[in-house]
Amino acid sequence: MARKRAKAHAAVPPVTTVVTLCLYVAGGAPNSVIAIANLEAICQQYLKDGYKLEVIDVCEHPLRALSDRVVVTPSLTKLSPGLPANVIGNLSDTGCVLAILGLRTADLQ
Amino acid sequence: MSLEGPQTGPNPSGSDAESAFKEWLRRLVRGTAERRAFDAGEIDAVMDPGGGSAILLPPARAALQRSSRLLLKAIDALPCEICVLDPAGTVVMTNQAWRTYVSAHAGMGLGLSDGLNVFAACRQVPTAERVGAAAVASGVRLVLAGERDLVRCQYVYDSPRGQHSFTLAMAGVCTDGSLYAILTRERVSQGDRTPLAARSDRAKPNRIAATGIAADVPNRLLAALPASQRERLLDGLDSVTLNYGEVINEPGEAIRYVYFPSDCLVSLLTVVEGHRALEVGLVGREGMVGSRLALGVDTSPVRALVQGTGTALRMKSTRFLQELQRNTQLRPAVLRFADSLMGQVTHTAACNRFHRIEARLARWLLMTRERLPSAQFRLTQAFLADMLGVRRVGVTSAAGALQRKKLIHYRRGIITILDQEGLEAASCSCYRQVQVPGLHIAS
């Protein structure tokens, strides 16, 4: 009886990079709400499960925001991979957000 | 969350003032991208390093104030009763339903209103409510200290319209770096119309009621003795704290002390060589440990293991034997208890053999509950498995089944009985056989 040959190369799990993000908001203020919605949409579309997001309310944790050198909110900081980078505002400019995430729109199309 | 503007900045009033305020805020903004976003109206708040706070822009502040007002109105409109305590335990907010309840019950039943401190209120309750109030104070402390996310306890109180009871749920909420407690009333009921004060007398036989039950002696066996004999006995008793897991008697060893539990719980375990210890009896404030001395036997046949930390009154066995001789009511009382304990042991043996784990667990939890002042107690699954003589996986499954039926809540070794009646229905018939008359769950 013929036996099936095992594949010569074992399946190698793909290396995934987790993007760590920190979004500073001011409670339920209008731009903060928009920023959270925009960022979640971008992350779900482009990063799937490959991201970690921490949302910090500066009204509740002002000292944390000041120690992280946050000047205004909403403010998004990418902590890793690579060098830290910021985007200010309600994150309606998707291209700008993708740029700091290290994802160019041209690569994704 | 602060809804106020800057303490040191200009006070905005009218469009000019608002413009001046925005210009003042803009000067705090450093960085090109930040200023661009500020000018585009995409900014909600500017950080003020001098004040160590976030300063909201007028549109953001107005939006948050609107949502705060809406939230307060929504909380007021909720049918459940809500009360919010600050980190010191002072009431900072109540909703309409809570205020209506307090007003309808004339402040009885822990009638907390705005500005009152829960700990002070718990100290001032009538004697009959002290157990419930102590549980509430303890629960609030745990929540405000961040040691527990949620605590539930039952509270029973009397009013001219009868006896009321409710479950008070206490949950922690962190805001502005401080922990607040949210209290909600659940399962409000008006059951027994007999006032609490009269209930213990009703539950006892007339003969004992005629002698008077000592309200300040938690142990029922001691409390049922005639006052003069009880006082003499109390002189020879020391108050001790028994800790969870402590063994106070080993099988075959001489009984050195007798114990009258006040608010602790002692399991009687039989030890069979080659097997794990199996629980055959449970003793709480209804009885004593060491009752065999009254039968003329000075050794213990079982291991007595403390399974609920608390206090007990203790006496040396030699002194207890002397008291049995001269105290005419003590020996009959101890013999009656020894007889009821024998009945409990008999039923437990049959129950362990014939009934399902889930029903046995329900029976065991109910027996534990009626001997303790709170519906919440600490039990690990390993301990429960030993008590019921089953494998741990069996306990996990049975506890899970009771939890799915919302009869109990089990988390991190803490069991809370949520539905007493439901648990009684889920238990085997043995519970009714071993239930101690007069040992009401809330008393």
Side-chain angles (χ1 to χ4, degrees):
Chain A
M1 197 167 86
R3 292 176 64 186
K4 282 186 180 175
R5 268 190 198 174
K7 283 188 178 175
H9 302 288
V12 178
V15 177
T16 54
T17 306
V18 174
V19 179
T20 308
L21 301 165
C22 211
L23 178 63
Y24 300 88
V25 296
N31 284 304
S32 298
V33 173
I34 294 169
I36 292 172
N38 283 335
L39 183 61
E40 284 184 344
I42 292 168
C43 288
Q44 279 174 16
Q45 185 176 353
Y46 297 103
L47 298 175
K48 309 293 181 200
D49 295 329
Y51 71 97
K52 277 185 193 168
L53 171 63
E54 186 182 9
V55 179
I56 296 165
D57 184 347
V58 299
C59 297
E60 288 194 6
H61 306 286
L63 298 181
R64 162 84 189 269
L66 285 167
S67 70
D68 292 348
R69 298 178 183 278
V70 171
V71 178
V72 292
T73 62
S75 174
L76 174 68
T77 303
K78 182 208 68 174
L79 298 170
S80 68
L83 294 172
N86 290 324
V87 186
I88 310 298
N90 60 22
L91 310 183
S92 50
D93 185 347
T94 307
C96 188
V97 178
L98 291 175
I100 78 140
L101 296 178
L103 302 170
R104 288 179 303 171
T105 45
D107 296 341
L108 301 163
Q109 286 164 358
Chain B
M1 184 186 296
S2 170
L3 301 181
E4 301 303 318
Q7 299 300 311
T8 52
N11 184 25
S13 61
S15 59
D16 289 347
E18 193 169 297
S19 300
F21 177 62
K22 280 186 78 172
E23 191 51 41
W24 176 80
L25 272 181
R26 194 176 185 279
R27 285 200 294 273
L28 287 177
V29 178
R30 298 276 179 266
T32 312
E34 283 83 353
R35 284 207 166 175
R36 196 181 302 132
F38 186 95
D39 293 338
E42 290 187 17
I43 295 304
D44 287 329
V46 176
M47 300 308 297
D48 176 15
S53 62
I55 303 170
L56 293 166
L57 270 79
R61 181 167 38 183
L64 287 180
Q65 283 173 342
R66 266 198 310 276
S67 64
S68 290
R69 280 197 298 272
L70 182 64
L71 192 63
L72 289 174
K73 283 190 179 297
I75 290 171
D76 247 358
L78 284 173
C80 62
E81 294 145 25
I82 297 169
C83 170
V84 183
L85 305 176
D86 71 4
T90 303
V91 179
V92 289
M93 197 188 93
T94 53
N95 75 342
Q96 184 62 45
W98 183 283
R99 292 192 292 274
T100 304
Y101 185 95
V102 170
S103 167
H105 292 78
M108 287 183 289
L110 211 60
L112 291 169
S113 50
D114 288 350
L116 279 181
N117 185 281
V118 69
F119 301 117
C122 284
R123 283 194 294 271
Q124 290 163 4
V125 298
T127 311
E129 296 176 30
R130 279 190 188 152
V131 172
V136 170
S138 167
V140 170
R141 272 194 199 95
L142 287 171
V143 167
L144 291 178
E147 292 175 25
R148 298 280 298 280
D149 297 332
L150 176 67
V151 176
R152 278 195 174 87
C153 67
Q154 196 184 32
Y155 197 95
V156 184
Y157 69 98
D158 286 334
S159 81
R161 284 181 289 176
Q163 187 194 107
H164 302 259
S165 73
F166 56 82
T167 300
L168 198 66
M170 297 157 263
V173 171
C174 185
T175 182
D176 297 336
S178 302
L179 260 172
Y180 288 68
I182 314 288
L183 312 188
T184 49
R185 275 202 186 88
E186 300 171 347
R187 301 165 191 276
V188 178
S189 69
Q190 184 174 343
D192 195 345
R193 295 190 68 82
T194 311
L196 268 182
R199 201 179 55 209
S200 57
D201 286 349
R202 179 195 62 180
K204 291 281 172 188
N206 288 338
R207 186 183 54 75
I208 295 175
T211 62
I213 303 292
D216 54 345
V217 180
N219 185 279
R220 295 302 177 97
L221 198 155
L222 295 176
L225 294 172
S228 60
Q229 298 202 7
R230 182 176 59 240
E231 292 306 318
R232 199 171 58 197
L233 197 62
L234 286 172
D235 283 345
L237 288 162
D238 301 320
S239 180
V240 290
T241 300
L242 299 178
N243 295 309
Y244 176 80
E246 194 176 328
V247 174
I248 55 178
N249 272 329
E250 280 288 4
E253 284 185 358
I255 299 170
R256 292 174 57 217
Y257 292 96
V258 294
Y259 295 85
F260 296 89
S262 299
D263 55 2
C264 65
L265 199 55
V266 180
S267 278
L268 306 179
L269 309 170
T270 186
V271 183
V272 180
E273 200 174 335
H275 296 275
R276 288 182 308 179
L278 175 68
E279 189 193 68
V280 291
L282 202 56
V283 179
R285 62 205 160 98
E286 84 288 4
M288 64 178 291
V289 179
S291 57
R292 271 167 58 106
L293 286 174
L295 301 168
V297 185
D298 61 359
T299 56
S300 170
V302 290
R303 175 181 294 160
L305 174 75
V306 180
Q307 63 130 310
T309 298
T311 55
L313 296 173
R314 184 177 79 167
M315 180 181 274
K316 278 196 167 178
S317 56
T318 47
R319 169 80 186 264
F320 182 69
L321 287 169
Q322 290 168 6
E323 292 294 338
L324 281 175
Q325 295 297 327
R326 64 177 183 172
N327 194 326
T328 53
Q329 293 297 314
L330 181 59
R331 186 182 290 276
V334 175
L335 289 177
R336 273 197 300 276
F337 168 70
D339 179 64
S340 71
L341 184 62
M342 205 178 297
Q344 189 198 126
V345 171
T346 310
H347 277 287
T348 306
C351 184
N352 283 342
R353 170 66 181 82
F354 295 119
H355 291 145
R356 291 180 299 115
I357 300 176
E358 188 182 321
R360 281 160 58 195
L361 175 62
R363 184 259 303 163
W364 194 87
L365 290 174
L366 289 164
M367 286 175 66
T368 303
R369 167 67 184 105
E370 68 180 6
R371 286 164 175 81
L372 291 175
S374 165
Q376 192 167 61
F377 32 90
R378 181 184 142 189
L379 285 169
T380 64
Q381 293 200 350
F383 194 90
L384 269 173
D386 279 346
M387 294 303 104
L388 297 171
V390 296
R391 290 184 301 144
R392 191 172 160 179
V393 65
V395 171
T396 308
S397 165
L402 294 179
Q403 186 152 256
R404 280 193 295 279
K405 292 176 186 169
K406 300 194 187 313
L407 303 179
I408 64 167
H409 180 259
Y410 187 87
R411 190 180 175 203
R412 294 179 189 167
I414 303 288
I415 283 189
T416 309
I417 293 180
L418 305 176
D419 182 352
Q420 172 82 16
E421 288 176 6
L423 201 59
E424 285 179 19
S427 73
C428 54
S429 57
C430 296
Y431 174 61
R432 283 187 294 281
Q433 303 293 331
V434 298
Q435 200 173 8
V436 181
L439 201 67
H440 194 279
I441 58 159
S443 61

mmCIF file of all heavy atoms in Angstrom, chain B residues 115-140:
data_model
loop_
_atom_site.group_PDB
_atom_site.id
_atom_site.type_symbol
_atom_site.label_atom_id
_atom_site.label_comp_id
_atom_site.label_asym_id
_atom_site.label_seq_id
_atom_site.Cartn_x
_atom_site.Cartn_y
_atom_site.Cartn_z
ATOM 1 N N GLY B 115 -25.357 62.904 51.528
ATOM 2 C CA GLY B 115 -24.551 63.522 52.576
ATOM 3 C C GLY B 115 -24.278 62.625 53.767
ATOM 4 O O GLY B 115 -23.381 62.909 54.558
ATOM 5 N N LEU B 116 -25.041 61.526 53.913
ATOM 6 C CA LEU B 116 -24.809 60.624 55.056
ATOM 7 C C LEU B 116 -23.602 59.728 54.794
ATOM 8 O O LEU B 116 -23.313 59.381 53.652
ATOM 9 C CB LEU B 116 -26.031 59.739 55.286
ATOM 10 C CG LEU B 116 -27.206 60.335 56.057
ATOM 11 C CD1 LEU B 116 -28.300 59.298 56.192
ATOM 12 C CD2 LEU B 116 -26.754 60.780 57.453
ATOM 13 N N ASN B 117 -22.936 59.328 55.854
ATOM 14 C CA ASN B 117 -21.816 58.399 55.717
ATOM 15 C C ASN B 117 -22.300 56.990 56.030
ATOM 16 O O ASN B 117 -22.948 56.770 57.059
ATOM 17 C CB ASN B 117 -20.685 58.794 56.664
ATOM 18 C CG ASN B 117 -19.471 57.914 56.462
ATOM 19 O OD1 ASN B 117 -19.412 56.787 56.944
ATOM 20 N ND2 ASN B 117 -18.506 58.425 55.711
ATOM 21 N N VAL B 118 -21.974 56.054 55.150
ATOM 22 C CA VAL B 118 -22.501 54.698 55.291
ATOM 23 C C VAL B 118 -21.973 54.017 56.563
ATOM 24 O O VAL B 118 -22.705 53.276 57.227
ATOM 25 C CB VAL B 118 -22.193 53.851 54.030
ATOM 26 C CG1 VAL B 118 -20.717 53.557 53.904
ATOM 27 C CG2 VAL B 118 -22.970 52.543 54.042
ATOM 28 N N PHE B 119 -20.733 54.299 56.931
ATOM 29 C CA PHE B 119 -20.167 53.639 58.110
ATOM 30 C C PHE B 119 -20.846 54.146 59.383
ATOM 31 O O PHE B 119 -21.142 53.376 60.294
ATOM 32 C CB PHE B 119 -18.653 53.848 58.181
ATOM 33 C CG PHE B 119 -17.943 53.325 56.973
ATOM 34 C CD1 PHE B 119 -17.244 54.164 56.126
ATOM 35 C CD2 PHE B 119 -17.997 51.971 56.655
ATOM 36 C CE1 PHE B 119 -16.609 53.671 54.995
ATOM 37 C CE2 PHE B 119 -17.358 51.466 55.518
ATOM 38 C CZ PHE B 119 -16.674 52.327 54.699
ATOM 39 N N ALA B 120 -21.095 55.470 59.423
ATOM 40 C CA ALA B 120 -21.796 56.034 60.584
ATOM 41 C C ALA B 120 -23.220 55.480 60.641
ATOM 42 O O ALA B 120 -23.713 55.118 61.718
ATOM 43 C CB ALA B 120 -21.813 57.560 60.487
ATOM 44 N N ALA B 121 -23.867 55.388 59.473
ATOM 45 C CA ALA B 121 -25.250 54.880 59.430
ATOM 46 C C ALA B 121 -25.305 53.428 59.896
ATOM 47 O O ALA B 121 -26.241 53.031 60.594
ATOM 48 C CB ALA B 121 -25.794 55.003 58.011
ATOM 49 N N CYS B 122 -24.287 52.629 59.519
ATOM 50 C CA CYS B 122 -24.270 51.214 59.901
ATOM 51 C C CYS B 122 -24.093 51.046 61.414
ATOM 52 O O CYS B 122 -24.536 50.061 61.984
ATOM 53 C CB CYS B 122 -23.160 50.469 59.166
ATOM 54 S SG CYS B 122 -23.566 50.138 57.451
ATOM 55 N N ARG B 123 -23.419 52.000 62.046
ATOM 56 C CA ARG B 123 -23.212 51.911 63.501
ATOM 57 C C ARG B 123 -24.475 52.273 64.279
ATOM 58 O O ARG B 123 -24.609 51.929 65.435
ATOM 59 C CB ARG B 123 -22.067 52.842 63.919
ATOM 60 C CG ARG B 123 -20.681 52.294 63.608
ATOM 61 C CD ARG B 123 -19.617 53.082 64.348
ATOM 62 N NE ARG B 123 -19.523 54.455 63.889
ATOM 63 C CZ ARG B 123 -18.747 54.863 62.894
ATOM 64 N NH1 ARG B 123 -17.997 53.990 62.244
ATOM 65 N NH2 ARG B 123 -18.714 56.125 62.525
ATOM 66 N N GLN B 124 -25.379 52.998 63.617
ATOM 67 C CA GLN B 124 -26.544 53.518 64.348
ATOM 68 C C GLN B 124 -27.818 52.716 64.112
ATOM 69 O O GLN B 124 -28.888 53.154 64.496
ATOM 70 C CB GLN B 124 -26.764 54.982 63.949
ATOM 71 C CG GLN B 124 -25.670 55.888 64.490
ATOM 72 C CD GLN B 124 -25.617 57.225 63.789
ATOM 73 O OE1 GLN B 124 -26.453 57.502 62.946
ATOM 74 N NE2 GLN B 124 -24.634 58.028 64.137
ATOM 75 N N VAL B 125 -27.717 51.550 63.488
ATOM 76 C CA VAL B 125 -28.931 50.777 63.198
ATOM 77 C C VAL B 125 -29.437 50.098 64.474
ATOM 78 O O VAL B 125 -28.670 49.906 65.429
ATOM 79 C CB VAL B 125 -28.674 49.698 62.116
ATOM 80 C CG1 VAL B 125 -28.267 50.335 60.814
ATOM 81 C CG2 VAL B 125 -27.645 48.687 62.579
ATOM 82 N N PRO B 126 -30.725 49.702 64.508
ATOM 83 C CA PRO B 126 -31.238 48.968 65.674
ATOM 84 C C PRO B 126 -30.500 47.631 65.835
ATOM 85 O O PRO B 126 -29.914 47.120 64.877
ATOM 86 C CB PRO B 126 -32.707 48.720 65.317
ATOM 87 C CG PRO B 126 -33.032 49.693 64.241
ATOM 88 C CD PRO B 126 -31.767 49.974 63.522
ATOM 89 N N THR B 127 -30.567 47.081 67.043
ATOM 90 C CA THR B 127 -29.833 45.846 67.361
ATOM 91 C C THR B 127 -30.139 44.726 66.375
ATOM 92 O O THR B 127 -29.240 44.006 65.941
ATOM 93 C CB THR B 127 -30.214 45.377 68.778
ATOM 94 O OG1 THR B 127 -30.092 46.501 69.640
ATOM 95 C CG2 THR B 127 -29.293 44.275 69.264
ATOM 96 N N ALA B 128 -31.405 44.589 66.009
ATOM 97 C CA ALA B 128 -31.808 43.478 65.138
ATOM 98 C C ALA B 128 -31.174 43.562 63.749
ATOM 99 O O ALA B 128 -31.111 42.570 63.038
ATOM 100 C CB ALA B 128 -33.323 43.456 65.007
ATOM 101 N N GLU B 129 -30.709 44.750 63.352
ATOM 102 C CA GLU B 129 -30.138 44.921 62.009
ATOM 103 C C GLU B 129 -28.617 44.920 62.010
ATOM 104 O O GLU B 129 -27.996 45.140 60.974
ATOM 105 C CB GLU B 129 -30.641 46.234 61.399
ATOM 106 C CG GLU B 129 -32.133 46.269 61.176
ATOM 107 C CD GLU B 129 -32.594 47.623 60.669
ATOM 108 O OE1 GLU B 129 -31.829 48.309 59.989
ATOM 109 O OE2 GLU B 129 -33.724 48.014 61.004
ATOM 110 N N ARG B 130 -28.015 44.693 63.191
ATOM 111 C CA ARG B 130 -26.560 44.873 63.293
ATOM 112 C C ARG B 130 -25.773 43.919 62.413
ATOM 113 O O ARG B 130 -24.738 44.284 61.851
ATOM 114 C CB ARG B 130 -26.102 44.742 64.737
ATOM 115 C CG ARG B 130 -26.329 46.041 65.477
ATOM 116 C CD ARG B 130 -25.679 46.066 66.822
ATOM 117 N NE ARG B 130 -26.104 47.275 67.527
ATOM 118 C CZ ARG B 130 -26.178 47.388 68.833
ATOM 119 N NH1 ARG B 130 -25.859 46.364 69.581
ATOM 120 N NH2 ARG B 130 -26.559 48.503 69.381
ATOM 121 N N VAL B 131 -26.269 42.672 62.300
ATOM 122 C CA VAL B 131 -25.537 41.692 61.488
ATOM 123 C C VAL B 131 -25.486 42.156 60.035
ATOM 124 O O VAL B 131 -24.436 42.181 59.392
ATOM 125 C CB VAL B 131 -26.189 40.295 61.597
ATOM 126 C CG1 VAL B 131 -25.563 39.329 60.617
ATOM 127 C CG2 VAL B 131 -26.035 39.762 63.011
ATOM 128 N N GLY B 132 -26.647 42.566 59.516
ATOM 129 C CA GLY B 132 -26.718 43.038 58.130
ATOM 130 C C GLY B 132 -25.886 44.295 57.933
ATOM 131 O O GLY B 132 -25.165 44.433 56.943
ATOM 132 N N ALA B 133 -25.970 45.227 58.904
ATOM 133 C CA ALA B 133 -25.232 46.481 58.779
ATOM 134 C C ALA B 133 -23.726 46.233 58.820
ATOM 135 O O ALA B 133 -22.965 46.874 58.083
ATOM 136 C CB ALA B 133 -25.639 47.424 59.902
ATOM 137 N N ALA B 134 -23.302 45.287 59.664
ATOM 138 C CA ALA B 134 -21.866 44.967 59.735
ATOM 139 C C ALA B 134 -21.395 44.387 58.402
ATOM 140 O O ALA B 134 -20.291 44.699 57.928
ATOM 141 C CB ALA B 134 -21.606 43.976 60.860
ATOM 142 N N ALA B 135 -22.245 43.554 57.777
ATOM 143 C CA ALA B 135 -21.871 42.972 56.487
ATOM 144 C C ALA B 135 -21.780 44.053 55.415
ATOM 145 O O ALA B 135 -20.878 44.035 54.574
ATOM 146 C CB ALA B 135 -22.893 41.907 56.085
ATOM 147 N N VAL B 136 -22.705 45.032 55.461
ATOM 148 C CA VAL B 136 -22.673 46.131 54.484
ATOM 149 C C VAL B 136 -21.404 46.964 54.677
ATOM 150 O O VAL B 136 -20.684 47.257 53.707
ATOM 151 C CB VAL B 136 -23.930 47.029 54.641
ATOM 152 C CG1 VAL B 136 -23.788 48.305 53.818
ATOM 153 C CG2 VAL B 136 -25.172 46.263 54.213
ATOM 154 N N ALA B 137 -21.110 47.322 55.933
ATOM 155 C CA ALA B 137 -19.916 48.136 56.203
ATOM 156 C C ALA B 137 -18.658 47.407 55.744
ATOM 157 O O ALA B 137 -17.769 48.004 55.118
ATOM 158 C CB ALA B 137 -19.833 48.461 57.693
ATOM 159 N N SER B 138 -18.613 46.118 56.018
ATOM 160 C CA SER B 138 -17.447 45.332 55.625
ATOM 161 C C SER B 138 -17.332 45.264 54.100
ATOM 162 O O SER B 138 -16.234 45.415 53.538
ATOM 163 C CB SER B 138 -17.591 43.927 56.226
ATOM 164 O OG SER B 138 -16.691 43.063 55.661
ATOM 165 N N GLY B 139 -18.474 45.069 53.429
ATOM 166 C CA GLY B 139 -18.477 45.010 51.969
ATOM 167 C C GLY B 139 -18.033 46.318 51.339
ATOM 168 O O GLY B 139 -17.230 46.336 50.411
ATOM 169 N N VAL B 140 -18.534 47.440 51.872
ATOM 170 C CA VAL B 140 -18.162 48.746 51.320
ATOM 171 C C VAL B 140 -16.656 48.990 51.510
ATOM 172 O O VAL B 140 -15.976 49.484 50.607
ATOM 173 C CB VAL B 140 -18.983 49.880 51.996
ATOM 174 C CG1 VAL B 140 -18.444 51.245 51.607
ATOM 175 C CG2 VAL B 140 -20.446 49.774 51.604
#
